[in-house]
Amino acid sequence: MNLILFDDNYREHLLPFTFTRPCADLRVGILTIREKWEMTFGCKSSTITVDYLTPKFNFIKADENLFINSRLFPNADLVGAIVNLKKGEQLLSDDKVLAAKSGAYSNNHINFTGFQKIEYKNELTFISNTWDIFKLNDVAIREDFERIISGRKSQVIDKSNSIIEPSLVFIEEGAKVMCSILNASTGPVYIARGAEVMEGCMIRGPFALGENAVLKMGAKVYGATTIGPGCKVGGEVSNSVLFGNSNKAHDGFLGNSVIGEWCNLGADTNNSNLKNNYSEIKVWNYAVNEYVNTRLQFCGLMMGDHSKCGINTMFNTGTVVGVCANIFGAGFPKKLIPSFYWGSADESEMFLIDKAVDLATKVYERRGKVFDKKEKELLEHLFMMQLKPKE
């Protein structure tokens, strides 16, 4: 069966993170949504998404196809309902298409007109807002932990560590954890291969450290937190998700936040995650072009890919940063920082595309990766989008 994860119209509510990826490649828990479904079905997947992302995230055609909404988490009951679909049937919940099965399909866009509708009435987990990424991270880490460790044994934990609830701590072969405190009484702790927890770290689960990621000396991490592959993190972190290859390498607080890929937070960067009057926090929503109420008392920073900030940057509650922004200077920056922004709270200019590409190329090279033509064209497209007048 050819597995295809498709974006629906709700993807715009997940900007700035879906500027540069389909919904399927959002990391929530230990795994991305794509990785959850691929592990569930034991196969690779392709993607139907917006046209400008298609060169990087391709769509594979086949004679038999299984389509799954890329904002949806798998669970046993849902998977059973999907497996039981016949060709020409679609699974729905409140008019949202969850999944469909087809014969030959060559359309680059979703069109299930004429498919028989089957209503799914049981519990579902969807990502519908940017803040859902950290809000659902607790349950997602727990589910992924069971998915990953099933039938496997952890690497022996070094005796220099203090471990609480060792049955819920899993360390992959090749990971290094020394002289630290791992408390899994509040949720599982997962350390991926090649990752390193340096001396003096204090970790309270649920927690996940991705492949080749580093938790630096003396870091304090509260669950539910995910530090994705290739990240370097220090200081204090609480209930946050870093997708991958991003750095918060020094002291400073990050709480109830989501950080994309290839970001860098300068030393002593802090974000507020609670308003002084304890009221609910509003966050910019690109889809409706206005601030919306999260109904949350705690909500921090949402930062898109390739964005960076200088030392001692202070982010207010519910700040949203686009792609390829570079923020520095004194005072609180604006709560909405557009893509390709270069400047301070008081003065800014456009971060020109040739300079943005040059910086991204250098950052990739530092990690032994290549910023290729597809990546370049993606950023060029986003730059032109930013230049268009708002309707």
Side-chain angles (χ1 to χ4, degrees):
M1 184 65 66
N2 184 36
L3 178 60
I4 301 167
L5 302 176
F6 67 89
D7 282 353
D8 58 16
N9 292 334
Y10 217 86
R11 68 175 301 280
E12 291 191 0
H13 292 267
L14 294 165
L15 298 172
F17 306 113
T18 51
F19 273 134
T20 47
R21 61 177 58 76
C23 301
D25 293 291
L26 298 170
R27 187 176 301 280
V28 194
I30 301 172
L31 306 169
T32 65
I33 299 174
R34 183 186 305 279
E35 290 167 342
K36 298 178 202 298
W37 284 108
E38 290 181 345
M39 187 170 287
T40 297
F41 283 103
C43 65
K44 291 296 183 181
S45 63
S46 66
T47 310
I48 291 181
T49 185
V50 291
D51 289 342
Y52 78 87
L53 289 176
T54 299
K56 182 178 177 182
F57 302 94
N58 64 326
F59 164 48
I60 296 174
K61 304 171 185 178
D63 292 334
E64 292 187 10
N65 302 282
L66 176 60
F67 299 89
I68 295 176
N69 191 307
S70 61
R71 296 189 293 114
L72 184 62
F73 287 15
N75 66 54
D77 187 79
L78 174 63
V79 170
I82 291 173
V83 168
N84 288 331
L85 285 173
K86 298 180 177 63
K87 288 182 185 179
E89 292 181 341
Q90 59 179 318
L91 194 65
L92 296 96
S93 176
D94 296 329
D95 294 326
K96 291 192 292 284
V97 179
L98 309 179
K101 194 172 285 186
S102 81
Y105 193 96
S106 59
N107 193 343
N108 284 352
H109 300 89
I110 290 301
N111 183 1
F112 299 134
T113 302
F115 279 51
Q116 182 180 345
K117 296 180 179 180
I118 299 173
E119 190 70 19
Y120 185 81
K121 298 181 180 180
N122 293 338
E123 187 175 347
L124 293 168
T125 305
F126 259 108
I127 294 292
S128 297
N129 303 286
T130 53
W131 56 88
D132 288 340
I133 295 171
F134 69 76
K135 184 180 175 183
L136 295 173
N137 204 44
D138 186 305
V139 66
I141 289 177
R142 294 174 194 272
E143 290 175 353
D144 286 345
F145 187 81
E146 294 301 322
R147 193 175 276 124
I148 290 170
I149 72 160
S150 179
R152 303 175 62 221
K153 287 188 177 180
S154 170
Q155 176 182 239
V156 175
I157 301 169
D158 191 271
K159 292 181 180 179
S160 65
N161 297 290
S162 177
I163 308 296
I164 302 170
E165 205 68 49
S167 64
L168 290 176
V169 175
F170 194 95
I171 300 175
E172 298 280 5
E173 290 293 330
K176 298 177 182 178
V177 185
M178 297 287 289
C179 304
S180 292
I181 300 170
L182 282 64
N183 181 0
S185 67
T186 52
V189 173
Y190 176 80
I191 312 295
R193 66 171 55 90
E196 181 176 8
V197 177
M198 292 183 174
E199 304 92 308
C201 292
M202 294 179 284
I203 299 168
R204 176 180 283 260
F207 174 75
L209 188 65
E211 285 193 18
N212 301 313
V214 176
L215 195 62
K216 301 192 75 177
M217 287 194 297
K220 297 178 288 184
V221 185
Y222 301 84
T225 290
T226 296
I227 298 171
C231 290
K232 295 180 181 179
V233 171
E236 182 179 1
V237 183
S238 176
N239 191 199
S240 295
V241 177
L242 291 86
F243 286 171
N245 297 304
S246 289
N247 294 337
K248 180 206 169 299
H250 306 286
D251 284 345
F253 173 71
L254 183 72
N256 302 98
S257 297
V258 183
I259 308 297
E261 290 192 271
W262 307 106
C263 298
N264 189 75
L265 306 183
D268 203 33
T269 291
N270 290 277
N271 81 273
S272 169
N273 63 343
L274 174 67
K275 296 176 73 171
N276 288 347
N277 62 3
Y278 288 60
S279 62
E280 293 175 342
I281 296 167
K282 292 184 178 181
V283 167
W284 181 260
N285 183 302
Y286 290 86
V288 298
N289 203 36
E290 64 182 18
Y291 288 93
V292 298
N293 193 339
T294 65
R295 307 295 177 192
L296 298 175
Q297 196 175 60
F298 290 90
C299 185
L301 170 65
M302 308 288 162
M303 178 177 278
D305 290 7
H306 298 286
S307 288
K308 297 165 177 61
C309 67
I311 62 171
N312 298 311
T313 302
M314 302 182 298
F315 289 107
N316 221 324
T317 52
T319 296
V320 175
V321 180
V323 174
C324 286
N326 200 309
I327 307 140
F328 50 84
F332 284 97
K334 302 172 185 176
K335 282 194 65 173
L336 173 62
I337 299 171
S339 296
F340 299 94
Y341 177 101
W342 179 283
S344 65
D346 301 319
E347 190 175 359
S348 67
E349 58 186 82
M350 199 80 169
F351 189 19
L352 298 179
I353 186 60
D354 58 338
K355 293 183 178 180
V357 168
D358 181 62
L359 176 57
T361 301
K362 290 175 180 175
V363 171
Y364 270 53
E365 287 174 350
R366 291 184 70 224
R367 298 292 179 91
K369 298 181 182 294
V370 177
F371 189 78
D372 60 19
K373 182 181 177 182
K374 291 178 183 177
E375 299 283 2
K376 179 174 180 289
E377 289 177 347
L378 196 163
L379 286 194
E380 289 173 342
H381 179 88
L382 294 175
F383 182 78
M384 295 306 297
M385 283 174 57
Q386 188 63 30
L387 289 179
K388 290 179 181 178
K390 300 290 186 295
E391 297 181 358

